[in-house]
Amino acid sequence: MVFHLPKQRISQEVPSSPLPPVSGAIMSFYYKLFFFPVTESKPVYREGNSASSTRTFLRRTFIKHEFHHLNVRLVGTVAVSDAFDCTLECLSNPFCLSVNLAAFKGAHGKLWCELLSSDKFRNSTEYKGNKSSHHFAIESPCSSSPCQHEATCVTNYRDGSFGCRCAKGFIGEYCEKEIYPFINMITNGFLFISNRSNASQLVTLYLDFKLITVLCQMGDFGCGYGGWTPVMKTDGNQATFHYDSHYWSDKNQYNIVGGRTGFDSQETKLPTYWNTPFSKICLGMKISGQLRFIVINKPANSLHSLIADGTYRASSLGRNEWKTLIGAQGSLQLNCNKEGFNAVGTSSHHAKARIGYIANQENDCGSCDSRIGFGTGGGPDNSNTCGNAAAVFPDNGDKYIKAMGYILVQ
């Protein structure tokens, strides 16, 4: 919550008696009340200018709300003669933020005065009309209702600043930005969009209580309609996201600005890797400028939860579907046919993929020499970290195709 300082501290002279009455239920009572800062052990009240001091005094203006009552915890109850005495008692108590004052004197000729621990801005549901009391509130920047969308305005009475405590579904200094659960799946990641459309656009995600801007892919670009959250972009020519890279198991972001640039050659790993639940994964590869996509239906708390522990988790797309990522040049061996997450044979020196498909020419997964996937490594080309590598009698000839890979979720 960001606190906003007032433009200037009120310092003008004010009359020591109330201003003439005004129409309506709310009128302002201006008292020339002075008290030392909180550091002073006991507040001091003065009525005139005759006293001099090297200390800084604060003036307080109380606003009268006729026939209203605030039901919050009391810090004291006193009998007073008038509103002046009641508000002075509040100023003399460092825990008092507002008061309730009896509308009519009792048999003893006094008014009861309740010193309150909070204000009506923080407890709006407890502030109600009645027929027996008036409520007096210290003048506050919250009086102008600066916080939007039913946010709670919190005043710092020490310096006159304020902050907005946003209601669920809103963010911003004044809670002016609406956030939506992204595709109704994100619990810790929210999406702010200024307007809804089918056009891809830069949006702001709220992750780990921070805002990051990414390019949200909208419409059917190859994975079906709806908004798709970018997670990673990996270049098969680079070792950044090799199978053995720490980025697959940790929660460290990489080149976060790459999340704003769409289907280009900038590698990136976004906080959405570990923060974003989903039901579908969109996988794309770009080879010689041609983009191709496939979709895995796989509900999970995050991509990190599927990959980081190294446990194999199967998918069921089939070899032909995986080969569509490569196009007509796609090639795989005929056996083993292991696909999914952390796909590795019994030999970690051979083909392996964090997300992908591995195959072998023998009737086992002991020495796989072909794969299509993301975060790949091992033989026959350990330098290929995204794309298709195939050798030893694959179905479409030996291939060493490096691709630019894209991973999005919905």
Side-chain angles (χ1 to χ4, degrees), residues 8-279:
Q8 61 180 14
R9 187 180 299 282
I10 299 174
S11 59
Q12 66 270 23
E13 293 295 325
V14 293
S16 58
S17 58
L19 294 173
V22 298
S23 60
I26 300 177
M27 62 179 70
S28 299
F29 279 76
Y30 294 88
Y31 298 114
K32 197 172 189 180
L33 299 176
F34 301 87
F35 63 94
F36 287 118
V38 183
T39 53
E40 185 72 15
S41 60
K42 182 179 179 181
V44 177
Y45 162 68
R46 303 184 188 278
E47 277 193 285
N49 290 327
S50 58
S52 62
S53 172
T54 58
R55 292 184 178 272
T56 300
F57 293 92
L58 299 178
R59 295 177 174 85
R60 287 289 181 262
T61 301
F62 279 83
I63 309 298
K64 180 181 179 181
H65 302 269
E66 289 190 341
F67 298 109
H68 277 78
H69 184 271
L70 179 62
N71 183 26
V72 296
R73 183 175 63 85
L74 301 180
V75 296
T77 303
V78 294
V80 298
S81 299
D82 53 28
F84 182 88
D85 289 343
C86 183
T87 53
L88 178 59
E89 290 288 341
C90 182
L91 292 183
S92 300
N93 189 315
F95 302 105
C96 179
L97 297 183
S98 62
V99 301
N100 293 323
L101 178 66
F104 308 101
K105 292 184 177 181
H108 48 59
K110 295 285 187 177
L111 300 167
W112 53 259
C113 170
E114 295 179 338
L115 309 182
L116 307 178
S117 61
S118 190
D119 58 34
K120 67 189 185 75
F121 305 108
R122 294 180 234 197
N123 303 272
S124 58
T125 59
E126 301 300 323
Y127 177 67
K128 299 176 182 178
N130 74 359
K131 296 182 179 180
S132 61
S133 66
H134 306 311
H135 181 70
F136 289 77
I138 298 174
E139 188 176 49
S140 159
C142 291
S143 301
S144 62
S145 302
C147 303
Q148 302 176 29
H149 299 113
E150 300 183 353
T152 299
C153 186
V154 180
T155 299
N156 182 342
Y157 289 101
R158 182 174 301 183
D159 61 10
S161 63
F162 74 94
C164 298
R165 186 178 298 150
C166 299
K168 184 178 180 181
F170 297 91
I171 58 174
E173 290 187 6
Y174 302 96
C175 306
E176 72 278 9
K177 296 180 180 180
E178 187 173 4
I179 53 180
Y180 303 89
F182 195 10
I183 316 307
N184 299 318
M185 289 299 297
I186 299 178
T187 55
N188 187 32
F190 292 94
L191 171 69
F192 162 64
I193 46 181
S194 56
N195 55 75
R196 299 188 180 209
S197 72
N198 287 326
S200 297
Q201 58 184 296
L202 287 173
V203 300
T204 302
L205 293 177
Y206 188 52
L207 298 167
D208 284 346
F209 307 103
K210 297 178 182 178
L211 299 176
I212 66 167
T213 301
V214 300
L215 182 64
C216 176
Q217 299 292 341
M218 304 293 289
D220 187 4
F221 54 87
C223 288
Y225 284 100
W228 289 90
T229 307
V231 176
M232 295 179 73
K233 298 192 298 186
T234 173
D235 185 346
N237 291 287
Q238 306 298 324
T240 314
F241 299 113
H242 185 278
Y243 184 95
D244 297 326
S245 170
H246 63 88
Y247 284 115
W248 295 103
S249 57
D250 66 24
K251 294 183 179 180
N252 296 320
Q253 64 191 35
Y254 177 82
N255 186 33
I256 198 168
V257 296
R260 308 176 187 176
T261 54
F263 300 126
D264 65 0
S265 59
Q266 287 196 53
E267 290 190 300
T268 188
K269 176 191 171 188
L270 303 172
T272 48
Y273 178 74
W274 62 87
N275 267 334
T276 306
F278 53 80
S279 60

Side-chain angles (χ1 to χ4, degrees), residues 303-320:
L303 199 57
H304 179 273
S305 70
L306 292 178
I307 296 175
D309 62 3
T311 300
Y312 169 63
R313 295 175 173 89
S315 63
S316 56
L317 294 182
R319 61 187 290 112
N320 290 333

